[in-house]
Amino acid sequence: MHTGSRGRAAFAGAAAAVFGAGVAELAGALVGASPIAAVGSALIDLAPPWGKDLAIALFGTGDKAALIVAVAIVLLLLGAGAGLIARRSMGGAQTLVVVLGLIGVGAAVTRADAPALAIVPPAVGAGATLLALSLLAPRAAAASTATRTASAAPDAAPSAGASRRTFLTWTAGAAAAGALAAVGGWALQAGARAATAVRAAITLPRPVKTATVPAGADLGIPGLTPAITPNADFYRIDTALAVPQIDPATWKLRIHGKVDNEVEISWDELLALPLEESVTTLTCVSNEVGGDLIGTALWLGYPIRHLLARAGVQADADMVLSTSIDGFTAGTPLETLTDDRNAILAVGMNGEPLPIAHGFPVRMVVPGLYGYVSATKWVTDLEVTRFSDAQGYWTPRGWSERGPIKLASRIDVPRRGAAVSAGDTVIAGVAWQQHVGVRGVQVRIDDGDWQEATLATAISADTWVQWTLPWAATAGPHTITARAIGTDGQPQTQASAPPAPDGATGWPRVSVTVA
Ligand SMILES: Nc1nc2c(c(=O)[nH]1)N[C@H]1C(S)=C(S)[C@@H](COP(=O)(O)O)O[C@H]1N2
Ligand SMILES: [Mo]
């Protein structure tokens, strides 16, 4: 009898581990990092050279698969162990699960390619394991008690059978749910790996028109955001829980609606067109005053106006509704896509194919408009229509139908609360109003006079511009305020407004204590 009850406890623990690991793998697929693979690769990092040699000798090129299987088996055994410990001490079993979760977190966050949310899958997995254990362990115990009662008193047998069946159903159910989640997660990750591999093999064509960043565009001040934002630091905003994984070979863009001829274009056809480089700053309408939902990249793409001309836009159209493969839509004023600005279908970002999270293989970039009405990632459809007939995703959700970018500035140096030493130092930041441009920036210390900051060389009116002002900092607390000056000579408005419905306003302010 005792063996049976131990067996059930171990089975319950192993099932809880399968459930937790499955949930963790599914979460891992969503954030882009498998926790089991992370533990495996942490082990590779930690293994002594002879261990690696031995593994390669034993398993050849299957060494990585063998390692993952080994991690999974160890996890199962530890789960069974937790189930056994739970018979005596639930707290002890929980501690073991938490420690395993922490090991998972440690492995996940120390990977070189760890995504921002890497901590989530192992943490969620440990939580799911604890939950499953708290449900299964008492049932294992109940089934065993019933077994003992049944052997003492044969008339209790049906109830023993019932509680054993309940135990079996719950435990097998938890293990099956975990296995299903893991398989689902791996399927998603297989899609991601495929898109990553295809992306890595792409060589983008040379542009027919290049863009250069003038030498004076970047002041190189420590702490000041660089003129060009590296892809890895570029802000990311979208509604996609799992990033769409598109094989460019299957990608197509359809242009239809109020046009004379529908146009359909494939990836190969798009790459064969004369592509142009342009530097454009993207901004999110949700950016708060002083916020970092803004970045600048060197884009490679094809002007949308040429494709619209090919389609022949009808006279009564005033909007293009772009749709992403995941259903997101943006409503862009037609004139911003047909005038001479660099509104493009982008395929390249800072010299690489678009990163998958930034719209691979093709996205829109339209200077002068917030992203939610223009910058559709993973775009597959352009419908030429009217504002009176169609709406983009965010419009019925309380955001303005149109989203021209407002004049804004940000103070990067010094940072809020930074330790500044008295004496000569600099204040620096960026200012922007894409497609309109910025004439100047003024800075005020406390209630002092507005001082004219020096602007860096602007890349173009479509990008942010860096600015700086020398500051003889005196000891004590100070508040620095900035305001951009528009091309019309008017300063950025002081009136503070929240991001909704059409973009935040107000002067950026940084308080520091000079010592
Ligand atoms: N498919 C899709 N494209 C999208 C969005 C989205 O949710 N889904 N969000 C938009 C918003 S609100 C912004 S600010 C920009 C952000 O682009 P980024 O993530 O490359 O910085 O993408 C736009 N394109
Ligand atoms: Mo946005």
Side-chain angles (χ1 to χ4, degrees):
M1 265 339 44
H2 230 67
T3 334
S5 93
R6 268 206 212 107
R8 269 186 284 273
F11 183 28
V18 171
F19 181 71
V23 169
E25 284 302 301
L26 185 58
L30 298 181
V31 310
S34 152
I36 291 187
V39 170
S41 88
L43 287 175
I44 294 177
D45 289 352
L46 296 174
W50 60 261
K52 285 177 207 177
D53 295 345
L54 182 67
I56 293 169
L58 284 177
F59 302 108
T61 48
D63 58 335
K64 292 217 178 54
L67 180 61
I68 299 232
V69 170
V71 171
I73 290 174
V74 169
L75 205 61
L76 262 182
L77 292 177
L78 287 169
L84 287 171
I85 295 173
R87 288 177 6 124
R88 301 260 173 274
S89 153
M90 197 57 180
Q94 288 166 334
T95 308
L96 175 57
V97 173
V98 170
V99 167
L100 292 176
L102 288 175
I103 291 175
V105 167
V109 300
T110 50
R111 296 309 88 212
D113 56 353
L117 296 177
I119 179 177
V120 172
V124 166
T129 308
L130 289 176
L131 176 73
L133 197 63
S134 74
L135 291 173
L136 299 179
R139 286 188 167 79
S144 304
T145 319
T147 310
R148 274 198 293 281
T149 323
S151 54
D155 52 320
S159 121
S163 68
R164 244 175 318 191
R165 268 195 301 281
T166 318
F167 167 70
L168 264 179
T169 312
W170 276 80
T171 311
L180 210 65
V183 169
W186 293 331
L188 280 174
Q189 285 173 332
R193 273 193 299 275
T196 304
V198 171
R199 178 180 175 275
I202 291 173
T203 311
L204 292 173
R206 296 185 148 279
V208 295
K209 201 166 126 188
T210 56
T212 44
V213 176
D218 207 310
L219 299 170
I221 295 171
L224 173 58
T225 193
I228 299 290
T229 314
N231 289 352
D233 300 340
F234 209 95
Y235 81 96
R236 175 185 163 205
I237 294 285
D238 54 60
T239 58
L241 181 57
V243 176
Q245 309 288 333
I246 302 179
D247 179 353
T250 65
W251 178 88
K252 276 199 300 262
L253 176 78
R254 181 172 165 238
I255 304 176
H256 62 108
K258 293 183 173 296
V259 295
D260 295 336
N261 335 287
E262 274 199 29
V263 169
E264 206 175 70
I265 181 165
S266 70
W267 170 250
D268 287 340
E269 287 164 340
L270 179 60
L271 287 199
L273 293 171
L275 303 185
E276 302 178 2
E277 280 181 347
S278 52
V279 184
T280 295
T281 299
L282 274 190
T283 312
C284 183
V285 69
S286 298
N287 198 33
E288 305 270 359
V289 172
D292 56 9
L293 301 180
I294 177 166
T296 303
L298 171 71
W299 306 96
L300 176 70
Y302 186 68
I304 294 171
R305 63 179 182 277
H306 297 329
L307 291 173
L308 289 176
R310 203 194 280 187
V313 171
Q314 291 170 1
D316 58 337
D318 65 5
M319 186 246 250
V320 172
L321 187 77
S322 52
T323 306
S324 146
I325 197 152
D326 68 350
F328 170 88
T329 53
T332 310
L334 180 63
E335 72 268 15
T336 64
L337 301 177
T338 51
D339 67 15
D340 62 0
R341 79 183 76 195
N342 292 312
I344 55 168
L345 284 177
V347 296
M349 182 176 182
N350 291 330
E352 295 173 22
L354 290 179
I356 293 175
H358 292 289
F360 179 78
V362 183
R363 76 174 303 169
M364 285 172 54
V365 172
V366 183
L369 303 180
Y370 289 118
Y372 81 109
V373 290
S374 68
T376 304
K377 304 191 271 188
W378 316 290
V379 65
T380 57
D381 190 284
L382 301 183
E383 184 191 358
V384 179
T385 178
R386 297 186 53 78
F387 276 103
S388 54
D389 295 338
Q391 281 185 319
Y393 181 89
W394 286 110
T395 303
R397 292 169 173 82
W399 295 82
S400 173
E401 181 175 83
R402 303 199 184 225
I405 292 173
K406 296 178 180 176
L407 178 64
S409 54
R410 189 178 77 194
I411 302 166
D412 284 358
V413 182
R415 293 255 163 226
R416 186 176 310 273
V420 178
S421 338
D424 286 336
T425 178
V426 291
I427 301 169
V430 280
W432 62 89
Q433 186 174 22
Q434 290 92 304
H435 207 62
V436 177
V438 172
R439 178 189 289 184
V441 170
Q442 295 176 339
V443 179
R444 189 173 74 179
I445 312 293
D446 304 318
D447 295 323
D449 293 334
W450 288 103
Q451 304 177 57
E452 220 49 61
T454 304
L455 292 191
T457 310
I459 301 173
S460 78
D462 294 340
T463 66
W464 60 16
V465 60
Q466 295 186 349
W467 55 264
T468 185
L469 182 78
W471 181 30
T474 55
H478 294 291
T479 297
I480 305 163
T481 309
R483 62 181 193 189
I485 308 297
T487 46
D488 57 0
Q490 291 300 306
Q492 174 185 348
T493 179
Q494 178 179 17
S496 91
D502 61 358
T505 60
W507 292 339
R509 224 176 269 274
V510 165
S511 294
V512 290
T513 302
V514 177

